[in-house]
Amino acid sequence: MIPSLRRKLEALLERREEVERLLADPATIADGDRFRDLSREFSQLEPVAVALAAESQARADLAAAEAMRNDPEMRELADEEIASAHARLEDLDVALMAHLVPRDPRDDGNLYLEVRAGTGGDEAAIFAGDLYRMYARFAERQGWRVEVESANPGEHGGFREIVARVEGRGAYSKLKFESGTHRVQRVPETESQGRIHTSAATVAIIAEEAPGAAIEINPADLRVDTFRSSGAGGQHVNKTESAIRITHLPSGIVVESQTERSQHANRDKAMKRLKSMLVEAETTRREAAQAQDRKLQVGSGDRSQRIRTYSFPQGRITDHRVEGLTLYDLPNVLEGNLDALIDRLQREHQADELARLSANT
């Protein structure tokens, strides 16, 4: 590890010790918000301290083993200990470097999931429904809460468009690489000749507006329309115009909410989502230059980019952003078992960031 990166690790260790002292301060304990923020920071820094302590122990073990080689009777055992210590140090070096990857403040937060049918007509809408259910099942396995904000069903199943809010710790960190065009190859149920069709759906993952990223919206820039809800609400549905559609005129962004019984509640939900989308658009604009060479676009990214193919005849899923990322486990993945894909994408992102960090240091 180069000295400049080592100094950054030492600075993190010093900050962890400082935070530990602050957490013991009665003034901090009395301030609930500050105590909570520092506790969260301490938990994030603790793995750095653990890894550095393990590295120190591995270096001590290596020195002891090298000293033991001077004894001819212990040389064979010493060689084994030396090899083991070197292997541990290599693993710890990778782990320590990973702690230097800049942390996305949105990672722990919630998100909006948008799935839209693309090319392929009815089959695209059915596939959009398959994708939504895949993510909903994955969220259920994580213990997250999924709430549909708006939905436009397809004529023969699935959705032309569905938007949901996903609430759960770490939701954005796991799903942020899912944005883009997802392509499916299969024989539709309506295909009498048994021909394989190709259709597509687009996915957008938008981080919920985070504290400190507030954005001001001029009411004059909004057009607000009301319409009759087609969602949940029992006898209330279709009797009053409680659903809200808000158009942000400068950007052209349109959001809807129809799941609540009152206009006021639907307006609040729509405004919250609009703010998240505007923050996401601004973040994407700022990061566009440095993101041009990245294989993994984060958040809304380039939604026209084909990122993944689901081949039913071969039972195969291929992610086109990472070389060699192909799984022959399609039915299992569509049931929401996305861990193998997500873990690989996270590791690839981490490797890219580490390479960039080393190049810029």
Side-chain angles (χ1 to χ4, degrees):
M1 186 183 299
I2 60 178
S4 58
L5 296 182
R6 173 67 58 180
R7 286 194 292 271
K8 289 183 179 181
L9 284 170
E10 292 169 351
L12 290 176
L13 185 60
E14 291 173 1
R15 174 58 182 168
R16 181 252 185 202
E17 293 170 352
E18 179 185 7
V19 171
E20 187 174 30
R21 289 193 297 271
L22 289 170
L23 286 171
D25 188 332
T28 302
I29 296 172
D31 186 339
D33 290 340
R34 179 165 167 73
F35 185 82
R36 184 166 50 252
D37 291 343
L38 287 171
S39 296
R40 186 179 298 113
E41 183 180 1
F42 183 83
S43 68
Q44 292 169 356
L45 292 170
E46 182 66 9
V48 179
V50 171
L52 283 171
E55 183 192 47
S56 179
Q57 182 61 54
R59 291 191 186 282
D61 293 344
L62 176 61
E66 288 175 340
M68 193 167 57
R69 286 194 85 250
N70 296 325
D71 185 343
E73 294 182 1
M74 302 294 290
R75 184 164 297 170
E76 185 176 346
L77 177 59
D79 288 340
E80 293 177 4
E81 293 290 333
I82 288 171
S84 176
H86 277 301
R88 276 190 291 152
L89 285 170
E90 288 180 8
D91 291 341
L92 286 166
D93 194 62
V94 172
L96 286 167
M97 289 280 285
H99 290 302
L100 293 174
V101 173
R103 181 175 176 78
D104 189 334
R106 302 171 295 177
D107 275 354
D108 285 338
N110 309 321
L111 60 90
Y112 292 99
L113 165 67
E114 302 180 355
V115 185
R116 293 180 175 85
T119 56
D122 292 336
E123 171 64 9
I126 293 170
F127 179 51
D130 292 340
L131 288 176
Y132 171 72
R133 283 188 290 274
M134 177 181 75
Y135 292 123
R137 287 166 180 165
F138 176 73
E140 182 181 356
R141 286 186 168 89
Q142 306 300 310
W144 301 338
R145 180 170 176 262
V146 179
E147 180 182 8
V148 174
E149 300 238 325
S150 65
N152 186 0
E155 292 182 8
H156 297 281
F159 300 97
R160 287 194 289 270
E161 174 185 301
I162 183 167
V163 178
R165 179 176 178 270
V166 180
E167 179 182 349
R169 186 172 179 83
Y172 185 74
S173 69
K174 287 186 176 292
L175 293 179
K176 63 183 178 181
F177 300 119
E178 294 300 302
S179 290
T181 297
H182 297 239
R183 184 180 69 167
V184 63
Q185 296 171 330
R186 64 183 172 188
V187 179
E189 294 181 6
T190 55
E191 171 56 58
S192 59
Q193 302 298 319
R195 293 173 297 187
I196 296 173
H197 286 225
T198 298
S199 55
T202 60
V203 174
I205 302 295
I206 300 170
E208 190 174 70
E209 184 189 12
I215 188 168
E216 295 296 326
I217 298 178
N218 185 347
D221 290 339
L222 302 179
R223 184 177 73 235
V224 181
D225 301 306
T226 60
F227 59 99
R228 290 186 178 182
S229 173
S230 59
Q235 295 180 353
H236 177 75
V237 172
N238 292 327
K239 290 192 175 182
T240 62
E241 294 192 338
S242 60
I244 292 288
R245 180 185 298 112
I246 299 177
T247 303
H248 184 250
L249 300 175
S251 66
I253 293 174
V254 179
V255 295
E256 294 181 359
S257 181
Q258 56 179 305
T259 56
E260 302 298 326
R261 289 177 175 269
S262 72
Q263 266 191 28
H264 180 73
N266 279 322
R267 182 187 175 96
D268 284 348
K269 293 180 74 171
M271 283 298 296
K272 188 174 182 182
R273 184 168 149 233
L274 174 61
K275 289 180 179 179
S276 295
M277 294 181 74
L278 289 172
V279 169
E280 186 77 26
E282 175 61 20
T283 301
T284 300
R285 185 190 65 79
R286 288 198 311 265
E287 296 179 349
Q290 70 182 56
Q292 285 177 355
D293 62 338
R294 295 185 181 181
K295 291 176 287 186
L296 301 177
Q297 299 294 324
V298 177
S300 55
D302 180 4
R303 297 179 199 175
S304 65
Q305 179 193 22
R306 187 190 71 184
I307 65 167
R308 194 173 295 154
T309 295
Y310 303 71
S311 174
F312 276 71
Q314 299 176 1
R316 167 181 59 83
I317 293 183
T318 297
D319 195 294
H320 305 289
R321 297 165 294 178
V322 180
E323 184 178 356
L325 182 45
T326 295
L327 303 177
Y328 290 89
D329 195 21
L330 179 57
N332 196 34
V333 171
L334 288 176
E335 286 299 315
N337 296 298
L338 291 167
D339 299 275
L341 280 170
I342 289 171
D343 290 347
R344 179 68 184 276
L345 290 168
Q346 287 181 328
R347 290 199 304 271
E348 193 74 17
H349 171 67
Q350 187 179 84
D352 287 347
E353 290 299 307
L354 284 174
R356 189 172 290 106
L357 185 64
S358 298
N360 294 335
T361 301

